[in-house]
DNA sequence: ATGGTCGCTAAGCGA
């Protein structure tokens, strides 16, 4: 089973790219973040026409929003209201594979604003609180689960183009990277991307729109993640970032991540 | 040290 995660930065603005991605990489399940559309206006027909007729959509007006589209049936669908804010940052589905039911959590963690200080930046506080809730949730999790999405934290020195330059930049500050480590420990999550591509090999999934030449400067960060419950460790077959998609016409600033499982 | 770019929805926000 191939599962993909992609922060699409508006699904409606990038249907051509989604079309190309589905054709070229044939994921069984695609988890999208930052769909930037209300649930009711999600382009359902586009996905149905391409065989992805099972959908769990959690959208809102303007910003954020996540959607999981699938060509295999969904056994369940759940939404959690993180930080009691009512914003659309998560959707969970269940899928029956072999004799087991696995769950797939699609997350869009708050970016956290510009200043890494919750006293002066509420958005940073929200991000830390959101991660704290994910730690608590992880510690109670019993089911076989795959967690994907834009977690907006690049945890390792080799997850950013310059560890030293980014230590005070939101996404790579010690308070965030420590908290992400606590999240991983809370469920003994397997960092699937690093399981396949161990540190210190360079591994990025996001490059800013503001670079003159994103590929030449290569100031990337690994903000997107695929994690798996420890009992799924032996099911992981492959995991890679499709960097090429960052260079497609009118791209998202995130590249998709693909993970292959053999359940 | 600073500003650099997107998409939403109609001036500024969130990223």
């Amino acid at each position: 089973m191939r599962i993909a995660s992609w922060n699409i930065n508006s699904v409606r603005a990038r249907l051509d790219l989604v079309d190309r991605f589905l054709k070229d990489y044939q994921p069984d399940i695609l988890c999208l973040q930052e769909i930037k559309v209300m649930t009711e206006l999600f382009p359902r027909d586009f996905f149905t026409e391409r065989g992805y007729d099972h959908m769990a959509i959690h959208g809102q007006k303007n910003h954020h929003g996540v959607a999981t589209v699938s060509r295999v049936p969904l056994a369940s669908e759940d939404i959690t209201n993180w930080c009691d804010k009512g914003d659309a940052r998560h959707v969970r589905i269940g899928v029956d594979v072999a004799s087991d039911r696995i769950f797939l959590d699609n997350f869009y963690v708050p970016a956290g604003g510009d200043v890494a200080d919750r006293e002066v930046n509420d958005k940073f506080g929200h991000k830390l609180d959101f991660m704290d809730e994910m730690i608590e949730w992880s510690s109670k999790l019993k089911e076989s689960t795959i967690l994907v999405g834009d977690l907006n934290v690049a945890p390792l020195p080799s997850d950013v183009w310059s560890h030293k330059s980014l230590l005070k930049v939101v996404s790579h500050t010690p308070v965030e990277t420590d908290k992400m480590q606590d999240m991983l420990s809370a469920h003994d999550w397997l960092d699937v991307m690093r399981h396949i591509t161990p540190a210190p090999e360079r591994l990025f999934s996001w490059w800013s729109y503001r670079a003159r030449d994103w590929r030449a400067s290569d100031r990337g960060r690994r903000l997107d993640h695929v994690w798996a419950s420890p009992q799924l460790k032996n099911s992981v077959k492959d995991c890679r970032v499709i960097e090429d998609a960052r260079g497609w016409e009118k791209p998202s600033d995130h590249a998709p991540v693909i993970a292959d499982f053999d359940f």
Side-chain angles (χ1 to χ4, degrees), chain A residues 48-257:
Chain A
T48 302
E49 286 161 10
R50 285 155 182 80
Y52 296 82
D53 46 354
H54 309 279
M55 301 176 219
I57 304 155
H58 188 189
Q60 67 177 82
K61 203 173 164 73
N62 277 2
H63 307 299
H64 320 318
V66 294
T68 299
V69 301
S70 172
R71 54 187 188 188
V72 299
L74 307 184
S76 68
E77 173 182 344
D78 288 289
I79 286 165
T80 304
N81 182 16
W82 301 83
C83 296
D84 201 28
K85 283 185 91 91
D87 51 0
R89 295 185 177 276
H90 169 255
V91 67
R92 161 175 253 220
I93 62 159
V95 180
D96 289 330
V97 296
S99 57
D100 197 13
R101 175 166 297 179
I102 61 153
F103 292 85
L104 175 59
D105 286 278
N106 177 2
F107 275 100
Y108 176 50
V109 173
D114 290 330
V115 183
D117 179 357
R118 68 180 308 153
E119 300 304 318
V120 298
N121 172 16
D122 290 341
K123 291 202 277 278
F124 193 68
H126 179 212
K127 182 179 197 173
L128 298 182
D129 292 345
F130 197 103
M131 292 178 76
D132 281 336
E133 288 194 10
M134 288 179 75
I135 291 169
E136 178 70 14
W137 168 78
S138 293
S139 70
K140 293 177 179 161
L141 198 56
K142 297 286 193 293
E143 304 88 358
S144 298
T145 302
I146 297 166
L147 182 161
V148 305
D150 177 3
L151 304 187
N152 267 314
V153 177
L156 304 175
S158 52
D159 291 334
V160 294
W161 64 276
S162 167
H163 174 58
K164 193 158 175 273
S165 312
L166 289 173
L167 274 170
K168 291 182 177 171
V169 174
V170 173
S171 75
H172 194 61
T173 63
V175 61
E176 293 167 272
T177 57
D178 288 352
K179 215 176 265 301
M180 178 158 278
Q181 197 54 59
D182 291 344
M183 272 169 69
L184 285 161
S185 303
H187 181 65
D188 195 19
W189 289 109
L190 176 71
D191 179 343
V192 173
M193 295 172 75
R194 281 306 187 188
H195 178 63
I196 299 295
T197 309
E201 187 170 329
R202 161 199 173 285
L203 189 58
F204 306 151
S205 67
W206 173 89
W207 294 259
S208 171
Y209 281 128
R210 297 176 188 178
R212 284 195 190 90
D213 183 336
W214 71 275
R215 210 190 293 267
S217 56
D218 196 27
R219 294 187 168 190
R221 306 177 201 170
R222 184 169 71 110
L223 302 181
D224 302 275
H225 296 267
V226 178
W227 294 357
S229 291
Q231 60 268 37
L232 296 175
K233 178 170 182 175
N234 293 327
S235 304
V236 175
K237 297 304 161 199
D238 196 14
C239 188
R240 58 199 171 107
V241 178
I242 310 301
E243 284 193 35
D244 193 46
R246 180 61 179 79
W248 293 350
E249 194 177 348
K250 293 251 293 168
S252 168
D253 45 356
H254 293 253
V257 184

Side-chain angles (χ1 to χ4, degrees), chain A residues 34-51:
Chain A
E34 277 207 88
I35 58 175
K36 291 190 172 179
V37 63
M38 288 189 287
T39 303
E40 309 80 67
L41 295 180
F42 186 81
R44 286 180 160 272
D45 293 346
F46 170 91
F47 290 98
T48 302
E49 286 161 10
R50 285 155 182 80

